[in-house]
Amino acid sequence: MNKDLTQGEPRKVLWAFCLPMFGSIVFQQLYNIADSLVAGKFIGERALAAVGNSYNITLIFIAFAFGCNIGCSVIVSQLFGAKDYRTMKSSVYTALIASGVLCAALMLGGLASCDTLLRLMKTQPEVMADSALYLDIYIWGLPFLFFYNIATGIFSALGDSRTPFLFLALSSTANILIDILFVKGFSMGIAGVAWATFLCQGASCILSLALVLKRLRDIRTETKVLVFSWSLLGKIAVVAIPSILQQSFISVGNMLIQGRINSFGVSVAAGYSAAVKLNNLVITSFTTIGNGISNFAAQNLGAARFGRIREGFRAGWRLVWCLCVPFCIAYVAFGRYLLLLFMDRSSQTALQTGREFLWILSPFYFVVSVKLVADGILRGTSAMGQFMVATFTDLILRVVLSFLLSGWTGSALGIWCSWPVGWTIATGMSLFFYRRACRRLGA
């Protein structure tokens, strides 16, 4: 199942590798979408707002898990491309140990501070208890989140995007069914939503981790493999820390924006909660394809096949634009019906809020998708400084403009308009840095 991404026609190789990754992230997003869908339809608007508030804090934990995934995946890809299997296996074990320690620290910090974070976001009193309960259960499942992300990062580094897709397809389908069973059948309320995610993520984590360790044992090495290496941890950290900082600051920025959104009332917060899940399905899909491009670039960097990196960028650009078309059409033309999956027809303010959000953002998917492809090349070639500059520019613009424009318009409409501005400027910067990285490599 391992795949050498340094061989074959780049477009065919990349598309065959990335499309299962796209399918995987669609199922991954079904976890959060299912939580909001079941909360909104079977519990009520307040439960939908509670999940939305909690989601912004869970994104901080996801940021750390994602950073560990990227750091491990890029280094393992480079070593796999260079055929240095002994060091590659050592890097995997090092990443697993370091991620376990980081996860334990985050669990302690999360259990101690989540109530404070919810208050800082100006969470409405009527949804505070449900938000805190959801978060407490979510935090106990963090080990599953972390080790699952490490496992999928290793699969991707070895050129195998199909196995994670199969795991996610099964676990996400099970999550929807168990969500409904716990909430509708057992009347467990918001706790049922959280426990369903906990159980399904746990099962997929254990199975994927067991399989990836077996896959590594099948790769023979002539000498003993180090279980932990400080030097390899440093290399992983060089890639992981910027990714963690990127995602963490985005999460903090989203929390600030969420606080501003909450000031407009529960209905606006509920509408945003539903619409942002649909938006994140798209953005996370593009990000995951960018991760696949990182693996492609990293393997070819390790094999010193620099010309293929530029070809991979072109193929990735075509792929994400092919995905932009159906998403944009669906959200502009059928956004109302998609939002009604999360709420009932009586939530007119919430529904109108969600429709405005999708109408403003979806045409700009053609812009931000190109940025995420370029970011994939930057990560894969370890150009992390430039990657962070473009990302933080986007974040700072969105946060600042969300407050300025919402104050100027006197409505949440100004907040939604800040997204396209940040995306457009940051995309221009990412493309500039990508071209500079190609010149540096002679690609």
Side-chain angles (χ1 to χ4, degrees):
M1 296 292 291
N2 301 339
K3 176 70 174 176
D4 187 346
L5 302 178
T6 67
Q7 304 296 323
E9 202 275 309
R11 181 183 61 82
K12 292 180 181 178
V13 169
L14 191 62
W15 281 48
F17 178 60
C18 285
L19 285 175
M21 295 183 75
F22 169 69
S24 295
I25 204 60
V26 168
F27 280 106
Q28 177 73 57
Q29 288 298 300
L30 282 177
Y31 273 108
N32 286 321
I33 288 177
D35 287 352
S36 292
L37 189 151
V38 172
K41 295 297 283 189
F42 297 128
I43 307 176
E45 187 176 272
R46 290 184 179 180
L48 178 59
V51 172
N53 279 291
S54 304
Y55 179 64
N56 285 293
I57 297 177
T58 66
L59 286 177
I60 296 176
F61 302 122
I62 292 172
F64 280 87
F66 175 79
C68 293
N69 172 307
I70 290 297
C72 177
S73 182
V74 167
I75 299 304
V76 170
S77 290
Q78 292 176 358
L79 294 168
F80 184 68
K83 306 296 189 292
D84 186 356
Y85 299 131
R86 176 179 175 274
T87 309
M88 182 194 76
K89 293 172 77 169
S90 183
S91 67
V92 170
Y93 302 141
T94 298
L96 288 170
I97 293 169
S99 297
V101 173
L102 177 61
C103 177
L106 286 172
M107 289 180 70
L108 292 174
L111 291 170
S113 64
C114 276
D115 284 357
T116 301
L117 292 174
L118 286 169
R119 285 193 290 271
L120 288 174
M121 287 194 302
K122 301 178 183 177
T123 301
Q124 298 89 348
E126 58 266 39
V127 302
M128 184 71 179
D130 279 346
S131 296
L133 176 60
Y134 181 92
L135 279 173
D136 284 343
I137 298 171
Y138 185 93
I139 289 170
W140 285 110
L142 284 183
F144 299 141
L145 174 69
F146 268 76
F147 290 118
Y148 174 78
N149 270 274
I150 292 293
T152 56
I154 296 165
F155 281 127
S156 298
L158 299 178
D160 178 11
S161 56
R162 190 175 302 173
T163 300
F165 168 73
L166 295 175
F167 277 125
L168 273 171
L170 292 172
S171 59
S172 298
T173 303
N175 183 56
I176 296 172
L177 298 175
I178 296 174
D179 259 342
I180 295 172
L181 176 65
F182 283 3
V183 172
K184 186 76 170 174
F186 298 160
S187 301
M188 293 175 64
I190 203 76
V193 172
W195 280 116
T197 300
F198 178 95
L199 293 173
C200 292
Q201 280 192 338
S204 60
C205 169
I206 292 168
L207 291 172
S208 60
L209 193 58
L211 183 57
V212 82
L213 291 175
K214 179 182 181 302
R215 188 79 59 83
L216 289 173
R217 285 195 299 269
D218 292 339
I219 299 175
R220 303 297 180 185
T221 55
E222 295 181 358
T223 55
K224 185 177 179 180
V225 175
L226 289 175
V227 175
F228 184 84
S229 167
W230 285 105
S231 63
L232 284 172
L233 178 60
K235 291 180 180 180
I236 293 169
V238 166
V239 179
I241 290 175
S243 295
I244 290 172
L245 290 175
Q246 175 221 6
Q247 293 294 320
S248 297
F249 279 102
I250 286 175
S251 299
V252 171
N254 286 338
M255 289 170 61
L256 294 173
I257 293 171
Q258 181 73 55
R260 182 60 176 162
I261 292 167
N262 287 342
S263 69
F264 290 102
V266 172
S267 293
V268 171
Y272 170 74
S273 176
V276 80
K277 293 295 176 62
L278 295 172
N279 177 68
N280 285 346
L281 170 62
V282 180
I283 301 303
T284 310
S285 298
F286 296 154
T287 302
T288 301
I289 290 172
N291 296 345
I293 293 169
S294 292
N295 295 132
F296 178 88
Q299 280 200 22
N300 283 281
L301 180 68
R305 303 200 65 184
F306 305 129
R308 289 173 62 86
I309 294 175
R310 185 183 288 273
E311 295 179 65
F313 173 78
R314 295 189 188 114
W317 186 332
R318 296 188 191 101
L319 175 58
V320 293
W321 273 22
C322 286
L323 297 175
C324 283
V325 173
F327 276 123
C328 188
I329 292 173
Y331 288 178
V332 171
F334 307 107
R336 170 185 175 85
Y337 304 102
L338 293 171
L339 291 166
L340 284 172
L341 294 172
F342 300 89
M343 61 188 77
D344 58 43
R345 295 178 184 274
S346 63
S347 306
Q348 287 301 315
T349 301
L351 186 59
Q352 184 59 29
T353 296
R355 292 178 73 187
E356 288 177 352
F357 181 87
L358 293 176
W359 285 341
I360 292 171
L361 268 65
S362 55
F364 287 88
Y365 291 154
F366 291 95
V367 176
V368 73
S369 61
V370 177
K371 175 190 185 301
L372 296 173
V373 171
D375 287 349
I377 299 291
L378 295 175
R379 282 196 304 266
T381 56
S382 298
M384 300 306 296
Q386 297 94 318
F387 163 72
M388 289 185 66
V389 169
T391 299
F392 282 116
T393 299
D394 172 26
L395 172 64
I396 292 168
L397 283 171
R398 278 195 285 131
V399 173
V400 172
L401 289 175
S402 67
F403 282 85
L404 291 177
L405 295 178
S406 63
W408 179 53
T409 62
S411 71
L413 184 64
I415 301 175
W416 319 147
C417 292
S418 66
W419 259 268
V421 177
W423 284 352
T424 301
I425 294 174
T427 297
M429 297 179 70
S430 289
L431 285 172
F432 171 77
F433 291 137
Y434 155 73
R435 292 191 180 99
R436 193 162 73 175
C438 286
R439 286 195 297 270
R440 174 173 55 86
L441 294 171

